[in-house]
Amino acid sequence: MTVATGIRGEDRQNAIAGWLFMTPTILIFSVFIIIPIIAAVYFSMTDWNGISPPIEANFIGLDNYKAILTEPGIRQTDFFTALKNTTYFALGVVPMQTIISLLLAVVVNQSLLRFKSFFRTTYYFPSITSSVAISLMFLFFYQKSGLVNQVLGTLTFGAWEPIAWMADPRGLIHIVLSWFGLTIRTAPDFLTQTSLFGVTLWSWISGPSVALTGIMIMNTWTTIGTMMIIFLAALQDIPNFVYEASQIDGATAWTQFRRITLPMLRPTMFFVVTLGLIGTYQVFDQIYVMSSGGPAKTTLTIAYLVYRNGFNNSQMGLGAAIAILLFIIIFALTMIQRRITGSEADN
Amino acid sequence: MNKRLLTLWVLLLIGMLLAACGGGTAVEPTTAPAATEATTAVEEPAAEPTAAEAPAGDVIQLQLMGWASSDAENSRLQEMIDSFNAANSDVQANLLLVPDYDTKLQTSLAGGAPPDVFYIDSFKLPDFVAANAIAPIGDELENVDDFYPNLRDAFTLNGTLYCPPKDFSTLALEYNKDMFDAAGLDYPTADWTWDDLRTAAEALTDSDNGVYGMVLSADMARWIAFLYQAGGTVTNADFTAMTLDSPEAKEAMDFYVGLVQDGYAAQPADLDSGWPGEAFGKGKAAMSMEGNWIVPFLQDQFPDVNFGVTELPAGPAGDATMSFTVCYGVPANAANHDASVRLVNFLTGPEGMKAWTDLGLAMPTRASLRDGWLEKFPDLEPFLNGAEYSYPWQFRPGFQDVLDTVNSGLQEAFTGLATTDQVLQNAQEVGTEVLNR
């Protein structure tokens, strides 16, 4: 038998031992990851309501996906509204968190900086604090008479008109357009009447609502700590002699940053942006605590829509289909992103 | 690696696996004793379907699951369970009050091990019935005709009464007496009309000081009272078509949104509050339209507020309010069905209902208890009167989509992002889609 398999006795034993070592991981991985994924794919093709036992669910093929992607109706409108909101969320948060965390990492990496560990701890602190606790705290900050409005009022010498952040469904781009007299009442018909996937063009270009912007700022604040640590580790990996050599060549600090630090950080940048994309497209807990998708569905995100379909609306099958679509979206975005930043990092 | 070491590893692994399996079952009782007991109680008779209930001598363990409310109510419910257990030697009920109730209930139903008795909100009932999750126990209840017809309707689908209302709340108009006095206005009365409400709201508004005549939220569960007052409906009687495109619906929405758009009413968030009751308690709004749950809240959090309660104003088509109610449901195909129904009858029977509602926090759903209850709590009469002309908060499966659409639309209309026509047209379309599913 040993000869037949072409593996010598000792190697075979090693192989068995290897598998045995892997067994606990494989078991845990299958029970908590593989089987749920397969189940989710299966449920996304059923009409399971999430209340009756799953065995009673009927197999309906791709009907859930059709309802979301091709059939006009509330399911399609909700999904694409959520996709719009989540995309604005990612477009705002990912660049903000990447840039700020990089700057922070560069600052706390300076050898001349005093109280370095104090700053490192302070910046990292929000990342290890309970996101629910932070969300509740920010709910108070964003009240009409809350801290944010008061600070903005002081900074603008009272010109800032206090707003109830979490109850304001106006989109940022809509607000800017309204300064130029363009509102839903004055907008041309092709914007307000044409619908793309159940959402009017006018709604597509809304920008994040004031409420969503509030959550975006908070989300950035809580995530920059982790990103900063990752950048910091990469910064410390850059050999010092590169900087010394460039100094001899007469490079300024800015040139060093642009020509040495940034290129050397490319793989890390890819990693941070990927983490950021995944994190923002899956944002759930802060929405759940702060806004429950409101006001006027402007903070409805894809992950929250999955929850709402599964547990408020007795459409677990539909929720599963949205979850699968969310996976595909994140996967595709990561691949595109890899094309842009990753290919050079591989070299 | 030699053979002995390998054998050792195999043994170790098997040991770990066994320990892991054993650990799972051993941990459970410490975290959720009630849950495991109930599960075993359900499983035992299921193995012997011929044996009715449990074998003689055995005690049936029942689990009653609900959400936690005020401390007073939680302990009163526990007292009632204790007296049920004392009176029934063959049945022992355990009370389990859980956070995140909906999620917990849904997963336990889907998992095939639901609690024996659980709370069901009238709005959720159609979804549970559509999923064949609950047993209709209307025929097994004590003196069904004693329950107010409106509240029976809240748990009736296609002519079948599924479960008995444990208590209920209705919407009424709360007003701040001091603010009315300061403005020199007469207190609201039960025969107010929409015009009276609007005029008073206008007179009481002092927006420079952040005080409004009324606090209104972008919530279909409040607006719908005006819809019924205007003579409109959400759907036709047999739920085959939406009727939100009616002139009555338009009139109700114009009135409701108009109060906010004209600046005589504001949303809770604009008054630094999480919900209307808080805004009312803080004195930022002179009137609110909440249910009787606001009374203990105000007494507890804002004891200095001098407030009164009257019935909601009448609209063009007369009086209407909403009733919100919860019932005790029993799951379908339950092994302990009879014992569970006995518990439900104990809790909602005339005596149990009296004991439960004597706290004054919840109102009795039995008409026969009305007079006795009002003697104790005369101030709450406007809420109880609502039972006669209230509409149930119950529609069809999947109506959450319509609720979300209307709430979202109201929010947009308040902010001027949509017209009332657009909101109603949108809700009409979504509702039609839901009804046709």
Side-chain angles (χ1 to χ4, degrees):
Chain A
M1 205 165 89
T2 325
V3 179
T5 53
I7 302 173
R8 286 182 297 119
E10 203 180 314
D11 282 351
R12 207 160 66 99
Q13 273 192 0
N14 277 343
I16 292 171
W19 278 105
L20 282 173
F21 276 118
M22 290 287 289
T23 310
T25 315
I26 290 172
L27 277 179
I28 291 169
F29 197 68
S30 332
V31 170
F32 292 106
I33 312 262
I34 306 280
I35 295 175
I37 288 177
I38 295 170
V41 173
Y42 170 71
F43 287 133
S44 75
M45 298 180 202
T46 67
D47 64 352
W48 188 31
N49 51 33
I51 301 172
S52 46
I55 307 156
E56 290 174 19
N58 301 311
F59 187 82
I60 54 169
L62 295 176
D63 284 4
N64 283 331
Y65 293 94
K66 277 187 212 150
I68 298 164
L69 298 174
T70 59
E71 290 164 14
I74 186 67
R75 292 164 168 174
Q76 188 188 47
T77 305
D78 271 354
F79 176 76
F80 283 96
T81 304
L83 180 64
K84 178 197 86 176
N85 294 336
T86 316
T87 305
Y88 280 123
F89 189 88
L91 281 178
V93 170
V94 174
M96 264 202 298
Q97 79 189 169
T98 311
I99 294 169
I100 297 175
S101 60
L102 176 62
L103 288 179
L104 287 181
V106 171
V107 169
V108 298
N109 193 37
Q110 298 299 314
S111 45
L112 294 173
L113 185 74
R114 298 179 68 185
F115 309 116
K116 227 186 292 186
S117 32
F118 168 77
F119 285 114
R120 287 181 191 178
T121 316
T122 312
Y123 295 142
Y124 191 53
F125 197 68
S127 299
I128 51 167
T129 312
S130 150
S131 124
V132 172
I134 291 178
S135 303
L136 288 174
M137 198 176 72
F138 269 77
L139 270 183
F140 286 106
F141 290 173
Y142 283 136
Q143 282 196 343
K144 199 166 189 178
S145 64
L147 189 70
V148 174
N149 281 323
Q150 287 184 11
V151 169
L152 287 171
T154 313
L155 288 179
T156 55
F157 302 103
W160 175 262
E161 199 65 35
I163 48 170
W165 284 72
M166 282 300 120
D168 200 330
R170 292 174 302 156
L172 290 192
I173 298 178
H174 279 175
I175 292 178
V176 173
L177 289 178
S178 73
W179 296 341
F180 301 98
L182 196 62
T183 66
I184 184 145
R185 281 167 227 284
T186 57
D189 276 356
F190 83 91
L191 279 179
T192 52
Q193 302 299 323
T194 326
S195 277
L196 192 63
F197 297 113
V199 178
T200 60
L201 290 181
W202 176 250
S203 294
W204 275 111
I205 60 159
S206 66
S209 70
V210 174
L212 190 66
T213 310
I215 301 178
M216 282 160 64
I217 294 170
M218 182 188 77
N219 188 286
T220 309
W221 183 71
T222 56
T223 47
I224 47 176
T226 312
M227 306 304 189
M228 179 197 75
I229 295 282
I230 298 168
F231 275 127
L232 192 58
L235 280 176
Q236 299 191 336
D237 260 2
I238 302 176
N240 219 15
F241 64 78
V242 185
Y243 289 107
E244 282 164 7
S246 68
Q247 237 161 7
I248 294 167
D249 292 342
T252 60
W254 173 240
T255 321
Q256 281 184 336
F257 179 76
R258 259 187 54 219
R259 295 293 168 90
I260 300 172
T261 314
L262 276 186
M264 299 283 262
L265 283 181
R266 249 208 155 96
T268 318
M269 195 81 83
F270 168 70
F271 181 63
V272 165
V273 172
T274 308
L275 270 191
L277 274 179
I278 295 173
T280 49
Y281 267 85
Q282 292 185 336
V283 63
F284 172 80
D285 45 358
Q286 293 161 347
I287 306 286
Y288 180 84
V289 175
M290 294 185 73
S291 64
S292 309
K297 294 188 182 174
T298 58
T299 65
L300 182 67
T301 62
I302 302 178
Y304 192 76
L305 185 63
V306 172
Y307 167 82
R308 217 173 62 172
N309 271 317
F311 287 101
N312 292 346
N313 220 350
S314 310
Q315 304 184 92
M316 194 65 91
L318 189 76
I322 298 173
I324 301 296
L325 288 175
L326 175 60
F327 164 75
I328 295 172
I329 291 168
I330 293 178
F331 190 78
L333 283 176
T334 312
M335 285 298 124
I336 294 169
Q337 211 252 116
R338 210 175 114 103
R339 271 280 160 84
I340 299 168
T341 53
S343 56
E344 287 174 55
D346 289 340
N347 297 334
Chain B
M1 188 187 284
N2 64 38
K3 258 201 175 116
R4 270 200 7 238
L5 204 59
L6 194 69
T7 328
L8 204 70
W9 267 114
V10 173
L11 284 174
L12 198 72
L13 266 179
I14 292 170
M16 272 167 60
L17 278 176
L18 287 177
C21 299
T25 43
V27 168
E28 239 174 73
T30 55
T31 51
T36 358
E37 277 166 38
T39 322
T40 44
V42 173
E43 276 166 7
E44 270 170 27
E48 294 174 84
T50 42
E53 299 290 88
D58 267 14
V59 175
I60 303 172
Q61 297 285 341
L62 289 184
Q63 192 189 38
L64 168 62
M65 192 166 97
W67 53 79
S69 54
S70 65
D71 288 343
E73 281 182 298
N74 296 345
S75 51
R76 173 60 62 94
L77 187 55
Q78 185 60 54
E79 284 165 29
M80 291 171 65
I81 301 284
D82 291 343
S83 58
F84 172 80
N85 289 344
N88 293 271
S89 55
D90 58 332
V91 183
Q92 289 297 301
N94 303 295
L95 178 62
L96 184 67
L97 299 174
V98 296
D100 217 357
Y101 176 82
D102 287 339
T103 318
K104 169 100 178 151
L105 175 65
Q106 195 176 321
T107 41
S108 66
L109 282 168
D116 300 280
V117 179
F118 49 85
Y119 292 7
I120 301 176
D121 185 275
S122 61
F123 190 81
K124 286 285 246 182
L125 183 84
D127 285 314
F128 285 122
V129 170
N132 295 320
I134 57 172
I137 56 169
D139 296 339
E140 302 166 67
L141 297 174
E142 271 177 43
N143 197 0
V144 172
D145 295 335
D146 191 18
F147 292 115
Y148 287 108
N150 294 334
L151 302 175
R152 285 203 308 262
D153 286 350
F155 298 107
T156 303
L157 250 91
N158 303 323
T160 309
L161 174 64
Y162 277 85
C163 49
K166 76 180 184 78
D167 50 31
F168 76 109
S169 308
T170 61
L171 298 178
L173 186 72
E174 299 87 31
Y175 55 94
N176 188 317
K177 288 182 177 170
D178 293 340
M179 291 167 82
F180 270 80
D181 290 342
L185 295 172
D186 291 335
Y187 296 153
T189 57
D191 45 52
W192 260 26
T193 61
W194 281 9
D195 289 338
D196 295 324
L197 182 74
R198 197 181 148 88
T199 315
E202 182 178 0
L204 290 157
T205 297
D206 177 9
S207 48
D208 292 340
N209 290 316
V211 173
Y212 289 82
M214 200 167 181
V215 52
L216 290 179
S217 42
D219 190 352
M220 182 178 175
R222 300 291 173 278
W223 168 70
I224 192 172
F226 289 91
L227 174 69
Y228 288 127
Q229 286 163 9
T233 50
V234 180
T235 68
N236 60 3
D238 53 358
F239 292 100
T240 51
M242 293 294 289
T243 52
L244 282 180
D245 54 357
S246 65
E248 290 84 7
K250 166 84 174 139
E251 189 179 7
M253 188 156 283
D254 281 343
F255 179 74
Y256 194 81
V257 171
L259 283 172
V260 175
Q261 286 256 300
D262 296 342
Y264 309 148
Q267 301 183 70
D270 285 324
L271 303 173
D272 272 328
S273 307
W275 69 291
E278 193 185 339
F280 181 78
K282 284 178 174 170
K284 295 190 171 186
M287 292 181 281
S288 77
M289 52 174 298
E290 287 297 305
N292 30 316
W293 55 79
I294 196 177
V295 175
F297 169 81
L298 290 173
Q299 286 162 350
D300 188 41
Q301 303 283 323
F302 299 98
D304 299 334
V305 172
N306 182 15
F307 71 97
V309 180
T310 188
E311 291 167 51
L312 289 183
D319 282 323
T321 186
M322 292 305 295
S323 55
F324 301 100
T325 171
V326 170
C327 79
Y328 287 116
V330 171
N333 310 318
N336 295 323
H337 182 87
D338 293 347
S340 302
V341 172
R342 224 193 306 164
L343 174 62
V344 173
N345 267 323
F346 178 87
L347 294 169
T348 61
E351 283 168 40
M353 178 74 66
K354 187 171 182 309
W356 171 237
T357 51
D358 266 357
L359 287 173
L361 299 171
M363 299 195 293
T365 53
R366 289 181 174 274
S368 62
L369 295 176
R370 179 187 155 89
D371 295 340
W373 195 81
L374 279 182
E375 269 173 37
K376 281 203 180 94
F377 309 104
D379 294 345
L380 299 178
E381 189 178 354
F383 291 110
L384 193 53
N385 286 349
E388 306 291 342
Y389 56 86
S390 69
Y391 288 80
W393 183 236
Q394 188 241 71
F395 304 94
R396 289 283 104 167
F399 234 69
Q400 180 77 34
D401 274 339
V402 180
L403 177 62
D404 289 338
T405 305
V406 174
N407 291 354
S408 159
L410 281 171
Q411 180 78 49
E412 287 181 319
F414 282 175
T415 332
L417 297 178
T419 63
T420 51
D421 283 319
Q422 287 167 335
V423 175
L424 287 170
Q425 188 198 337
N426 207 358
Q428 174 82 9
E429 282 167 15
V430 170
T432 307
E433 185 191 330
V434 169
L435 292 181
N436 289 336
R437 269 180 201 159

